[in-house]
């Protein structure tokens, strides 16, 4: 298909995403004939990944063409017909489904709950008065994986970006970082910037050329890519679960995994957020330049402090209730994701909610 869909928001189209209280912006639709799966029988309208030829076997022209097409999809997304429904798979979701290698060693299954998650994320990124998402969820929805992908996407999409994260335990943060490194190792060469520090960095993934001392770690792929044979000046790291980490730093993304399980002895999520917010801004917090992601299940740990924190943050993060400056009191937008979204999906990627309810009641 020669047509290239460019996402524009001129007509101010919105949809309702389950669990998110504000209308979510979506771009203008192309003519129906330009939808992916147009002309197929309804039963055959499924999401399908792009299949790539071997990179090394492509000519220089074909490499340039492939990179141009995939970069366009990464930034603009695509409109699809999925089982007769018109579905916008935005650029964040496309990158996740097409390129992100998950913890279990494969690319993610196509799931509509992930499509919705990335629509909400994009909505928060585009909102100049939003600091990010406060996401309360059921177990095993996969939001950690999606959030790690966002960190990588932001660090490699925008130059000179610092993306940092913490977790309830230092070991868990290290485990999340290792998952990013493994996904980076398997990334397609045209979206894989060179990095210093070897192929398996332990504490930070720095997208710069190696220094003279480790120049041998450069591989042929770093010399053959069509668009990223250069460092982008970004990095991803993690920090211990202690207060004031990243204080005074300039962050593109801050990710705190499982604040609802923190014991609040080593680190208060509330106090840490007060430290992090200025790291995501310029001009005395007037301009927001970075975004935060909080994803958590809720547990009554250590005398209810985590539960109290989640309840308080939830109350002050309603996207429909703003202060005079146009922001919520927390700066975040709340997003609730129940157990139904973790259910088995049908062949088209829609959750089998009725089956999940029956299983829960049995």
């Amino acid at each position: 298909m020669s047509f290239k869909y460019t996402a524009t928001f001129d007509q101010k189209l919105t949809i309702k995403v389950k669990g998110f209280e504000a209308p979510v912006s979506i771009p203008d639709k192309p003519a129906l004939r330009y939808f992916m799966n147009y002309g197929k029988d309804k039963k055959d309208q499924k999401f399908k990944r792009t299949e790539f030829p071997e990179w090394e076997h492509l000519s220089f022209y074909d490499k340039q063409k492939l990179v141009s097409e995939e970069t366009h999809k990464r930034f603009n997304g695509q409109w699809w017909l999925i089982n007769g429904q018109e579905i916008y798979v935005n650029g964040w979701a496309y990158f996740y489904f097409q390129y992100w290698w998950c913890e279990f060693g494969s690319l993610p299954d196509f799931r509509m709950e992930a499509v919705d998650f990335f629509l909400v994320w994009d909505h928060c990124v585009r909102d100049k008065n939003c600091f990010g998402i406060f996401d309360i969820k059921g177990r095993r929805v996969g939001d950690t994986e999606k959030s790690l992908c966002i960190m990588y996407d932001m660090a490699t999409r925008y130059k000179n970006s610092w993306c940092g994260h913490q977790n309830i335990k230092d070991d868990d943060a290290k485990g999340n970082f290792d998952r990013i490194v493994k996904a980076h190792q398997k990334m397609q060469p045209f979206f894989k910037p060179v990095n210093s520090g070897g192929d398996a960095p332990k504490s930070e993934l720095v997208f710069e050329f190696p220094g003279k001392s480790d120049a041998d770690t450069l591989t042929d792929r770093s010399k053959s890519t069509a668009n990223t044979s250069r460092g982008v000046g970004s990095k991803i790291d993690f920090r211990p679960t202690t207060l004031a980490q990243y204080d005074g730093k300039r962050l593109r993304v801050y990710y705190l995994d499982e604040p609802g399980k923190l014991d609040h002895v080593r680190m208060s999520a509330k106090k840490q957020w007060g430290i992090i917010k200025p790291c995501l801004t310029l001009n005395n917090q007037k301009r927001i330049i970075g975004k935060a992601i909080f994803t958590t299940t809720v547990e009554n740990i250590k005398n209810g402090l985590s539960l109290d924190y989640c309840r308080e943050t939830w109350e002050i993060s309603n996207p429909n209730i703003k202060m005079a400056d146009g922001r919520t009191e927390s700066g975040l937008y709340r997003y609730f994701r129940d157990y139904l979204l973790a259910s088995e999906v049908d062949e088209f990627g829609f959750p089998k909610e009725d089956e999940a309810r029956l299983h829960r009641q049995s």
Side-chain angles (χ1 to χ4, degrees):
M1 181 183 294
S2 60
F3 171 76
K4 280 189 174 183
Y5 170 71
T6 300
T8 58
F9 292 77
D10 295 341
Q11 297 179 18
K12 308 298 182 184
L13 299 178
T14 62
I15 60 172
K16 185 72 173 70
V17 172
K18 181 180 179 181
F20 191 69
E21 294 157 295
V24 173
S25 300
I26 57 173
D28 304 340
K29 299 178 184 179
L32 192 62
R33 66 181 181 277
Y34 294 124
F35 277 58
M36 304 300 294
N37 286 333
Y38 176 76
K40 293 184 178 180
D41 290 339
K42 184 178 176 181
K43 63 181 178 59
D44 296 324
Q45 292 176 348
K46 303 173 184 178
F47 180 85
K48 184 178 180 181
R49 294 187 182 92
T50 303
E51 296 183 3
F52 300 128
E54 289 292 330
W55 179 257
E56 293 77 9
H57 298 161
L58 293 176
S59 67
F60 177 79
Y61 170 80
D62 288 336
K63 287 179 179 179
Q64 292 283 356
K65 183 174 182 293
L66 176 59
V67 169
S68 175
E69 291 174 349
E70 289 304 298
T71 300
H72 188 87
K73 295 173 189 175
R74 181 177 178 180
F75 278 83
N76 292 277
Q78 296 175 309
W79 279 94
W80 285 74
L81 291 173
I82 305 291
N83 194 27
Q85 297 190 39
E86 298 178 1
I87 304 295
Y88 176 56
V89 179
N90 67 18
W92 306 99
Y94 179 80
F95 184 79
Y96 176 69
F97 292 127
Q98 181 70 46
Y99 293 99
W100 191 252
W101 286 85
C102 297
E103 179 183 22
F104 45 80
S106 66
L107 294 167
D109 295 330
F110 181 77
R111 298 175 65 95
M112 285 305 303
E113 62 82 14
V115 172
D116 286 348
F117 179 92
F118 287 110
L119 285 173
V120 172
W121 168 250
D122 185 67
H123 178 82
C124 293
V125 169
R126 292 178 180 278
D127 191 328
K128 65 180 181 180
N129 284 318
C130 177
F131 277 91
I133 298 175
F134 185 73
D135 174 29
I136 293 181
K137 62 185 184 64
R139 292 182 179 275
R140 311 304 300 172
V141 178
D143 285 1
T144 297
E145 202 72 66
K146 294 191 281 291
S147 300
L148 298 178
C149 178
I150 284 172
M151 292 177 67
Y152 186 88
D153 196 347
M154 292 286 272
T156 57
R157 181 188 289 230
Y158 301 110
K159 291 183 178 180
N160 303 313
S161 295
W162 187 347
C163 301
H165 74 285
Q166 294 178 281
N167 206 308
I168 51 175
K169 299 178 182 178
D170 298 350
D171 289 345
D172 290 343
K174 176 63 166 64
N176 282 347
F177 176 78
D178 290 342
R179 288 160 68 174
I180 294 175
V181 170
K182 290 179 180 179
H184 172 66
Q185 292 169 345
K186 295 184 177 182
M187 185 59 56
Q188 287 287 340
F190 47 86
F191 282 156
K192 184 179 182 180
V194 300
N195 66 279
S196 61
D199 290 333
K202 302 301 182 183
S203 60
E204 60 178 12
L205 182 56
V206 181
F207 298 114
E208 290 285 9
F209 279 112
K212 292 182 179 180
S213 60
D214 59 348
D216 290 341
T217 62
L218 278 174
T219 61
D220 289 339
R221 60 90 181 165
S222 70
K223 300 176 183 179
S224 63
T225 56
N227 72 327
T228 55
S229 300
R230 77 287 185 271
V232 296
S234 298
K235 75 173 180 178
I236 303 172
D237 69 359
F238 66 96
R239 292 291 178 88
T241 314
T242 55
L243 194 64
Q245 294 293 335
Y246 297 109
D247 186 18
K249 309 303 181 184
R250 176 173 169 170
L251 298 177
R252 176 76 69 175
V253 176
Y254 172 74
Y255 174 38
L256 180 57
D257 195 8
E258 299 289 6
K261 295 180 180 178
L262 277 172
D263 61 17
H264 287 246
V265 175
R266 293 186 63 192
M267 187 179 83
S268 162
K270 181 177 181 178
K271 291 180 179 178
Q272 180 66 355
W273 178 228
I275 292 168
I276 291 295
K277 282 180 74 174
C279 300
L280 304 172
T281 68
L282 292 175
N283 309 124
N284 300 314
Q285 300 191 47
K286 182 178 180 180
R287 179 185 172 199
I288 299 174
I289 59 169
K291 302 291 177 175
I293 311 173
F294 291 73
T295 61
T296 189
T297 55
V298 178
E299 315 242 355
N300 194 0
I301 297 175
K302 295 294 182 181
N303 300 319
L305 292 178
S306 294
L307 189 61
D308 289 344
Y309 165 73
C310 288
R311 184 184 294 111
E312 177 185 345
T313 306
W314 179 265
E315 291 298 326
I316 61 176
S317 301
N318 188 331
N320 295 314
I321 301 177
K322 309 287 184 66
M323 300 189 300
D325 61 2
R327 300 171 184 175
T328 65
E329 187 175 342
S330 71
L332 303 166
Y333 288 169
R334 67 192 190 188
Y335 185 24
F336 179 73
R337 322 190 68 230
D338 62 23
Y339 75 97
L340 295 172
L341 299 178
S343 62
E344 183 182 4
V345 297
D346 63 20
E347 60 184 310
F348 301 99
F350 294 93
K352 298 179 180 179
E353 295 189 5
D354 291 340
E355 287 187 11
R357 290 189 184 94
L358 288 173
H359 178 73
R360 190 181 182 93
Q361 295 167 3
S362 61

